[in-house]
Amino acid sequence: MINRREMLKIATAAGASSVLPLPALAAQPMSTQEKSEVECSLKRLMLRHTWTTTMSSSEYRDTVQFQFRRDGIAGFGEGAPIIRYQEYPEQAMKAIDAISSQIASGDPWMYQKFLAQMRRSLGDHQHAAMAAVDIAVFDWIGKKLGLPLYQFLGLDPSAAPITDFSIGIDTPEITRQKTREAADFPVLKVKVGLQTDEATIEAVRSVTNKPIRVDANEGWTDKEEAIRKINWLETQGIEYVEQPMPAHMIEETKYVRGKVHLPIFADEACTDVTMIPRLTEAYDGINVKLDKSGGILEALRWIEVARAVNLKVMLGCMVSSSCTVTAAAHLSPLVDYADLDGNLLVANDPWRGVRVEKGRLLLPTGPGLGLTAQHS
Ligand code: MG
C-alpha cells in the first residue's frame, strides 16, 4: 500500500494543482455490524503440580473466558479472579453478564471511552472481569486491522525480556525436582514466606546456580525477621524480593528497605494506579498484572506512571491460560522483568500463544493476540 507522501508525489508529478483528497486512506476501519455479540463462560484450569504459596494451595483455578464478536471476527479475553482481592469467578461472570448489552452496544474503535465506561459499570472488585473484556476488545481490534497487538501498540517484539519460571512452596525433594524440570529457564522465581524458606532456597541451590527472584507474598510480618531473611537471601544470589511484608505495612516495609541491599518489589501492595507514586517510599518497583489493573489499557497507564516516578516494572500474571499470558507478553517490551509463566503451570491450556525459548518470550505474529485453539 502506498502512503500519503507517495500519493502526493504521484499527484504532483501528474500536474495536479492541489493535494488529492484521500478518503480511502484517511478512513477509519468501520464495523459493518451495529452491535457486537458477547459470550462469557467459566473454564477450570487444572494445574500440573499442586500450587502452594503463602496464600493458598490448589489443584485447579477457575477463570472467566470472554468472547467479543463483531463483523464475523471473534476477540478472546480471560480473567483470573482471586480471593486475595475479594474477586470470585462466579461473581465475575455474573458481573459481565449483567452489563452484556452495554458491552454489545459499545463501539470498539472508541476503546478509550468504551472501556472506561465498562470499568465504571463493572464497579469495584471486578478487575479480573474487566481484564477479560479489555483483552477481548484488543484481540478483536488487532484481528480487524490484521495487526499483532504489539504492532498496534508500537512495540518491538525483539525487546521482550526473559521470563522467569516460578516454583511454588513444597518439600525440599519436590523443590529439587521442580528446579531440574525448569532447566530451560535461565532465571527462577521461588515462592517463600514461610518457616521453610532457608530449606527451600538451599534445595534450589543444590541443583542450580542460576539467578533467583523470590516472592514472599506478604509472608513476613515481623520487620526484623524480614531484614534477616533478605540479608541471608542476598548471600544466595537472589536478584530481588517481591512483597516481603503485608501490603498495608508500608511503614515497616520502608524500614526494611532501608536496612537491605536487594531491590524490593510491590505486588499485593499495588492494586490501583493512584497508589503508585506513594509506593516509591517503600519499594523499588511494581509488579503489573492484567488481572489487577483490569486489562491492557490500564496496565499501560500503570507502566507509564511507574516510569514517571522512577520505579522498576515487572510484568506478572495469575495462574491463567495462554490467553492472558499472551496478552501480557505483548506489553513485555515495555518492562524490566517478566514473570509470565502462569500458563506453563496449567495442564489443559485451551490456547497456544506466546512461546518461551530458553526463557525468552517469543510473541506470536498473528493478528490480535495471535492465539490458536488447542484441545478444541
Ligand atoms: Mg507476587
Side-chain angles (χ1 to χ4, degrees), residues 190-210:
V190 182
K191 293 287 190 180
V192 293
L194 297 179
Q195 298 308 313
T196 51
D197 294 342
E198 284 85 351
T200 298
I201 298 298
E202 280 164 2
V204 176
R205 277 286 169 253
S206 72
V207 178
T208 180
N209 284 322
K210 63 181 71 164

Side-chain angles (χ1 to χ4, degrees), residues 164 189 213-218 220 230 238-247 253 256-257 260-270 279-280 282-289 292 306-307 310-316 335-339:
D164 54 41
K189 175 165 138 175
R213 302 156 182 177
V214 301
D215 185 357
N217 286 112
E218 311 180 283
W220 303 323
I230 294 169
I238 305 299
E239 276 191 321
Y240 62 74
V241 179
E242 195 179 321
Q243 203 60 56
M245 305 195 76
T253 307
V256 169
R257 184 180 172 223
V260 301
H261 303 111
L262 291 181
I264 310 289
F265 275 70
D267 182 3
E268 287 83 351
C270 185
L279 292 172
T280 55
Y283 296 93
D284 300 285
I286 62 165
N287 186 346
V288 176
K289 294 177 180 171
K292 291 195 299 174
R307 292 295 186 206
N310 288 322
L311 284 170
K312 292 275 185 195
V313 181
M314 66 178 285
L315 196 51
V335 306
D336 303 299
Y337 304 102
D339 175 30

